[in-house]
Amino acid sequence: AQTVTQSQPEMSVQEAETVTLSCTYDTSESNYYLFWYKQPPSRQMILVIRQEAYKQQNATENRFSVNFQKAAKSFSLKISDSQLGDTAMYFCAFITLSGTYKYIFGTGTRLKVLA
Amino acid sequence: EAGVAQSPRYKIIEKRQSVAFWCNPISGHATLYWYQQILGQGPKLLIQFQNNGVVDDSQLPKDRFSAERLKGVDSTLKIQPAKLEDSAVYLCASSPALGDTRQYFGPGTRLTVT
């Protein structure tokens, strides 16, 4: 079975500090993409960052970066210089490039940035 | 470019009533997804369309849920009759094509069944 596990239901960080959100996944496929999505109270899912599994280099997007450990099936998100607007639910997800291309989401981590 | 549109944003119904949700994907997007997001959980795929054909509906409770995308553009998701456990946010997403990993989400419809 394909699964995504986010073991931190809630986290908090001081404004301007750095925080890391954890994610592990399980799949027998070799070709897949990993994602982090942000869902603020407005409920709109916003793509934060995407990683292609065949690329060893970790993806970065401004203040957001990932630590992708393919052998360990780990995909953590690091947010640097945290801002109040980063307060949201963060979902880890992956999609395999075979079959029906279905997203599998984790249960989410609620992040609160404190002033 | 307009995003994915959904309506209504909120709906409150009593159990055993019926309800319908509407989704208009981004223009030109061939693939459309409906997700159910129960409070405290991640989105779960209910049904996936490629144009007007169903690609995956393995997790759709077909005794009460139905969905259609007749002209390969707009889609409706219906629940009849609703149960208390159907209370959730229903998200619609679209993608340019099957196999394109980019998914664009709508704002969702929050359903409360009392």
Side-chain angles (χ1 to χ4, degrees), chain B residues 7-68:
Chain B
S7 68
R9 291 296 308 276
Y10 304 90
K11 189 74 176 180
I12 301 173
I13 61 172
E14 295 182 352
K15 60 183 179 184
R16 292 187 289 274
Q17 286 187 324
S18 63
V19 64
F21 311 126
W22 174 82
C23 173
N24 186 15
I26 292 173
S27 178
H29 280 197
T31 310
L32 186 147
Y33 307 80
W34 282 103
Y35 291 89
Q36 180 191 58
Q37 186 179 17
I38 293 172
L39 185 65
Q41 300 182 19
K44 182 186 80 172
L45 180 70
L46 291 176
I47 189 166
Q48 178 183 347
F49 292 95
Q50 174 69 7
N51 296 313
N52 60 352
V54 175
V55 176
D56 185 343
D57 63 356
S58 57
Q59 297 193 85
L60 186 74
K62 298 180 186 63
D63 57 334
R64 298 184 301 105
F65 285 65
S66 64
E68 60 184 15

Side-chain angles (χ1 to χ4, degrees), chain A residues 69-101:
Chain A
Q69 302 290 326
K70 190 171 184 178
K73 294 182 179 175
S74 170
F75 183 61
S76 61
L77 174 70
K78 185 171 83 171
I79 306 174
S80 304
D81 186 25
S82 297
Q83 300 175 0
L84 296 177
D86 296 333
T87 293
M89 283 290 288
Y90 286 81
F91 291 97
C92 178
F94 78 87
I95 186 170
T96 58
L97 300 184
S98 63
T100 58
Y101 306 96

Side-chain angles (χ1 to χ4, degrees), chain A residues 31-93:
Chain A
N31 199 7
Y32 52 90
Y33 281 70
L34 293 155
F35 306 84
W36 278 97
Y37 276 89
K38 170 184 177 181
Q39 188 178 42
S42 66
R43 302 198 304 268
Q44 186 90 39
M45 294 282 276
I46 302 165
L47 177 65
V48 174
I49 200 164
R50 181 178 77 160
Q51 173 80 41
E52 299 162 71
Y54 63 86
K55 286 190 176 179
Q56 290 187 329
Q57 185 174 5
N58 290 324
T60 61
E61 197 71 44
N62 300 316
R63 298 182 295 108
F64 300 89
S65 62
V66 298
N67 183 4
F68 174 45
Q69 302 290 326
K70 190 171 184 178
K73 294 182 179 175
S74 170
F75 183 61
S76 61
L77 174 70
K78 185 171 83 171
I79 306 174
S80 304
D81 186 25
S82 297
Q83 300 175 0
L84 296 177
D86 296 333
T87 293
M89 283 290 288
Y90 286 81
F91 291 97
C92 178

Side-chain angles (χ1 to χ4, degrees), chain A residues 1-55:
Chain A
Q2 298 178 335
T3 58
V4 176
T5 302
Q6 294 180 250
S7 58
Q8 305 153 314
E10 292 187 5
M11 295 190 72
S12 61
V13 62
Q14 289 294 134
E15 196 175 7
E17 296 293 308
T18 296
V19 63
T20 299
L21 280 56
S22 301
C23 172
T24 58
Y25 61 94
D26 189 23
T27 180
S28 57
E29 301 285 337
S30 59
N31 199 7
Y32 52 90
Y33 281 70
L34 293 155
F35 306 84
W36 278 97
Y37 276 89
K38 170 184 177 181
Q39 188 178 42
S42 66
R43 302 198 304 268
Q44 186 90 39
M45 294 282 276
I46 302 165
L47 177 65
V48 174
I49 200 164
R50 181 178 77 160
Q51 173 80 41
E52 299 162 71
Y54 63 86
K55 286 190 176 179

